[in-house]
Amino acid sequence: MTGGRLNGVDAEREAQLLFRVIDTISAGLDLRRMLQGVATLVTETTATDVCFVHLLDEKGRVLRLHGATPPFDGLVGEIELAVGEGVSGWVAEHGEPVVISDDKNADPRYRYIPALRGEEFTSMLSVPIVTPLGHLVGVLNVHTRARREFTGADVELLRTVAGLVAGAIENARLHRRLAEREEALESFAERIVEWQERESRRLAGEIHDGISQRIVSLFFHLSAAADAIPGSPELAAEQVARAQELAGAALDETRSAIAGLRPPVLDDLGLAASLESLGHGFPTLDVQVDANTLSMAEHAETAVYRTAQEALQNAAKHADARSVQIRLYRQQDRAVLEVTDDGSGFDAAAAPAAGTPGPTGFGLSGMRERAELLGGRLELTSAPGHGTTVRLSIPYLPSAQY
């Protein structure tokens, strides 16, 4: 050792290491490649034998190996340590570096991991990877086969490297989250377009097969009535009566098609009263409604109404429920709908696979998509024999802000 630095590395070589680390972390946002490059630079420049980079998971409970020099690079993603477990776990928990010169097994913090072949290495230095704001993101370790007395200057150099890496890790993670959100939004937009296309085809089919055919028949009956008026008033009256029946049927089908887009009852009664009216449409259920009067945008009201409708449909048809409680209320900046039944219940973990579309065209998966579209969330609480609660929570904003 000379100058109190790693294996006699002078200030110029330290600066070279830091510059090369900066170049590596600036080259791109591929986290794995960046950490592999940093680990290699550290071992090359500090004359250590192996380097491991463990990153803290999103919940801050587990350290996972994300970067390693050969021959351990193949273990990336496979090695995990709980915070507080082993030397790395201790460093993560306490935020302080650890130096072990020899006899690691005598240190109570050390944990032997066969895949990492700790018996081949004598000395180690472990430092926390901390952002400038003090957020722990992981732990960086170096090991040597020969015995090594790591000094305070050694520790500070590794901590400096770790600090540079910490900022890059945060940036890479933020970039990844942004990319995942953009991908999710694109996927969701595609599903919305597909749904709109299905709805357009459904409406076109209903209009063509039902309403338009009735209107054509109505035209012929009215034409026959007009021709029959001079010579056969009775026949004319019969044709007019038939035309009235067709007009009534066409009107019913038109209303049904429109209701598939937005229930007219929402415009007539408002959301709270519409939920009361919806409950009356399920005679096999004792539906109790406790709904506050909330003023929301039309599409938000439709989402709440359709969610309640689908939940009631499931309670009546699949859960063999007898009673259902519907609650609609405001919770700070959220509008919350809760539909609770006393039915047979189901395994909530299997809900996505069990999302069967109902008469409204939306099953459980559809309800979730509606909630996500509004920036909200749909939660299911259920267990066999214990009923089901569907909880929809969406942002509550004045209509103009939707």
Side-chain angles (χ1 to χ4, degrees):
M1 294 294 296
T2 60
R5 294 184 173 89
L6 285 168
N7 200 32
V9 176
D10 57 20
E12 183 179 350
R13 292 191 64 190
E14 286 186 7
Q16 182 185 33
L17 168 61
L18 297 179
F19 282 127
R20 291 179 67 189
V21 168
I22 291 171
D23 286 341
T24 299
I25 64 180
S26 302
L29 292 167
D30 184 326
L31 187 58
R32 179 169 179 173
R33 183 179 300 175
M34 177 188 71
L35 294 179
Q36 292 293 112
V38 168
T40 300
L41 282 177
V42 168
T43 55
E44 288 178 356
T45 312
T46 63
T48 49
D49 293 307
V50 291
C51 178
F52 299 112
V53 183
H54 302 271
L55 296 189
L56 201 60
D57 72 342
E58 299 288 343
K59 295 181 179 179
R61 299 175 183 173
V62 175
L63 289 168
R64 185 173 293 112
L65 185 65
H66 272 261
T69 49
F72 302 104
D73 48 328
L75 298 175
V76 167
E78 297 182 10
I79 304 297
E80 293 185 355
L81 286 166
V83 170
E85 180 183 10
V87 172
S88 297
W90 189 94
V91 171
E93 185 174 43
H94 294 83
E96 299 177 7
V98 167
V99 174
I100 300 178
S101 298
D102 56 21
D103 198 9
K104 295 191 295 288
N105 292 315
D107 193 310
R109 297 169 295 187
Y110 179 71
R111 178 196 161 189
Y112 175 70
I113 300 175
L116 298 183
R117 300 180 350 221
E119 70 276 5
E120 298 180 13
F121 304 96
T122 304
S123 303
M124 70 175 293
L125 167 58
S126 179
V127 298
I129 303 174
V130 182
T131 69
L133 295 178
H135 299 145
L136 177 76
V137 296
V139 175
L140 185 150
N141 297 338
V142 290
H143 299 256
T144 60
R145 290 185 173 85
R147 188 180 186 281
R148 174 86 143 265
E149 291 287 349
F150 291 106
T151 67
D154 301 336
V155 174
E156 288 308 310
L157 176 60
L158 262 293
R159 293 189 78 159
T160 301
V161 172
L164 293 173
V165 172
I169 291 170
E170 288 283 85
N171 289 338
R173 283 179 165 175
L174 289 172
H175 181 270
R176 186 193 67 214
R177 289 172 192 158
L178 180 60
E180 289 173 351
R181 288 185 180 182
E182 289 180 350
E183 184 178 346
L185 284 173
E186 289 177 2
S187 176
F188 185 67
E190 290 176 0
R191 294 199 301 271
I192 290 297
V193 170
E194 290 175 0
W195 173 77
Q196 289 174 333
E197 289 297 324
R198 289 198 302 270
E199 282 295 285
S200 296
R201 288 194 294 271
R202 179 184 68 80
L203 284 174
E206 289 185 3
I207 291 172
H208 179 271
D209 298 335
I211 298 171
S212 64
Q213 296 300 322
R214 293 185 188 279
I215 291 175
V216 170
S217 297
L218 174 63
F219 173 79
F220 283 120
H221 283 293
L222 289 175
S223 297
D227 294 338
I229 286 175
S232 180
E234 293 180 358
L235 178 60
E238 181 182 335
Q239 295 295 329
V240 169
R242 180 61 181 149
Q244 287 176 324
E245 292 178 5
L246 288 168
L251 182 60
D252 289 341
E253 290 190 16
T254 301
R255 287 172 175 166
S256 177
I258 293 173
L261 299 176
R262 173 171 168 82
V265 68
L266 288 174
D267 296 319
D268 297 337
L269 302 178
L271 179 57
S274 295
L275 293 175
E276 290 271 6
S277 175
L278 179 63
H280 298 325
F282 293 84
T284 62
L285 298 175
D286 176 19
V287 181
Q288 301 296 320
V289 180
D290 178 14
N292 293 344
T293 300
L294 303 181
S295 177
M296 294 187 290
E298 290 186 353
H299 62 277
E301 291 183 342
T302 299
V304 171
Y305 183 89
R306 291 300 190 203
T307 299
Q309 185 178 37
E310 190 66 35
L312 286 172
Q313 201 76 262
N314 290 337
K317 287 192 171 184
H318 306 298
D320 296 325
R322 295 184 179 181
S323 64
V324 177
Q325 173 75 32
I326 297 177
R327 295 181 63 214
L328 175 66
Y329 58 93
R330 181 175 175 178
Q331 188 176 64
Q332 297 180 344
D333 61 345
R334 315 287 288 181
V336 180
L337 170 75
E338 291 181 352
V339 183
T340 302
D341 67 57
D342 64 352
S344 57
F346 62 95
D347 181 3
T356 304
T360 62
F362 286 92
L364 296 176
S365 60
M367 289 193 286
R368 283 197 176 96
E369 288 182 357
R370 280 187 180 272
E372 292 172 3
L373 181 63
L374 295 174
R377 183 178 181 183
L378 185 89
E379 298 173 321
L380 290 172
T381 303
S382 187
H386 292 85
T388 299
T389 295
V390 176
R391 187 177 190 272
L392 171 70
S393 173
I394 60 175
Y396 181 81
L397 299 171
S399 300
Q401 295 188 37
Y402 271 87

